[in-house]
Amino acid sequence: MDLQFIGVDPETGKNGSPTAWVDLENSDIVIQSYTADNETQTHCVENTAPGHTKGIPAHETVIRIPARLVPVLREACDVAERTQL
């Protein structure tokens, strides 16, 4: 795995910061962020995407990404597009 660091939430200091990388092997965006609280997870389960089974599969999770990380995600999307095979 070859992850390219893109950026980190500028307001979280040096401990537990939401972060974005791009996997240069497959152009996936990799995110570290806050685990969504129970209320948010419940809302996601109750408002499942149309045509999808209700619930959060064991191989998935709900995360919360702070709005201030949006510029970092835009950059990650640009890198991912440039590196797509």
Side-chain angles (χ1 to χ4, degrees):
M1 181 180 312
D2 187 11
L3 295 181
Q4 178 180 331
F5 171 78
I6 302 299
V8 65
D9 180 345
E11 294 185 21
T12 58
K14 297 184 187 253
N15 192 10
S17 303
T19 306
W21 298 267
V22 173
D23 186 332
L24 298 177
E25 293 178 11
N26 59 19
S27 300
D28 285 352
I29 296 172
V30 178
I31 302 292
Q32 170 189 325
S33 194
Y34 306 113
T35 302
D37 59 28
N38 287 335
E39 181 181 359
T40 302
Q41 289 187 33
T42 298
H43 182 80
C44 291
V45 168
E46 292 174 355
N47 296 284
T48 301
H52 285 74
T53 305
K54 271 194 162 194
I56 302 168
H59 66 280
E60 295 181 4
T61 191
V62 177
I63 63 171
R64 182 174 292 276
I65 299 170
R68 60 188 176 263
L69 197 62
V70 168
V72 172
L73 294 179
R74 283 192 185 107
E75 182 180 346
C77 290
D78 291 344
V79 170
E81 284 182 336
R82 287 193 304 269
T83 60
Q84 277 186 327
L85 303 175

